Amino acid sequence: MTRKILSIIAILMLTSCAEIASVIVEDEMQRGLQKGQTNQKRTKADDKKLTKQEETLKKEGKCPVCKGMGKTPDGLYICETCKGTGKYVETNNK
């Protein structure tokens, strides 16, 4: 009888610890996301570097959006700009 009670108490304690841990982890994730959103200011140097990188990719014949992969970085979606080829296609958008 006492073993059953001890087992039930142990299970309840472990369950409550898991809930507390998930709340702590979730809170830290939210803080990280909020911090990342506030630090997204790009400088002129960043813009210049990105422009140079895009020009280099274009010269190599690679799509500057997906960097020649043809897919998104996670690999789940096809790049809409190059239609999955990974090759740079000149567009005349005026």
Side-chain angles (χ1 to χ4, degrees):
M1 183 72 167
T2 59
R3 284 188 178 210
K4 287 183 181 181
I5 293 173
L6 289 175
S7 297
I8 291 172
I9 290 173
I11 290 171
L12 290 175
M13 288 178 65
L14 289 174
T15 304
S16 64
C17 289
E19 288 180 29
I20 291 170
S22 70
V23 168
I24 291 171
V25 169
E26 187 175 331
D27 185 47
E28 288 297 318
M29 289 175 63
Q30 286 295 330
R31 283 189 199 158
L33 288 173
Q34 289 171 352
K35 185 177 179 183
Q37 290 172 352
T38 58
N39 291 337
Q40 290 185 351
K41 296 178 183 175
R42 289 195 332 205
T43 63
K44 288 182 182 180
D46 292 337
D47 288 339
K48 191 174 182 180
K49 185 178 177 181
L50 287 173
T51 303
K52 184 177 179 183
Q53 194 176 45
E54 285 180 6
E55 290 300 320
T56 303
L57 287 167
K58 287 178 184 178
K59 286 179 185 175
E60 293 174 358
K62 296 179 181 177
C63 175
V65 176
C66 65
K67 296 183 174 78
M69 291 177 24
K71 294 185 177 186
T72 55
D74 58 7
L76 296 176
Y77 304 101
I78 294 175
C79 176
E80 291 294 320
T81 306
C82 66
K83 306 291 187 239
T85 63
K87 299 181 186 211
Y88 174 66
V89 179
E90 185 74 34
T91 57
N92 294 328
N93 292 337
K94 291 185 179 182

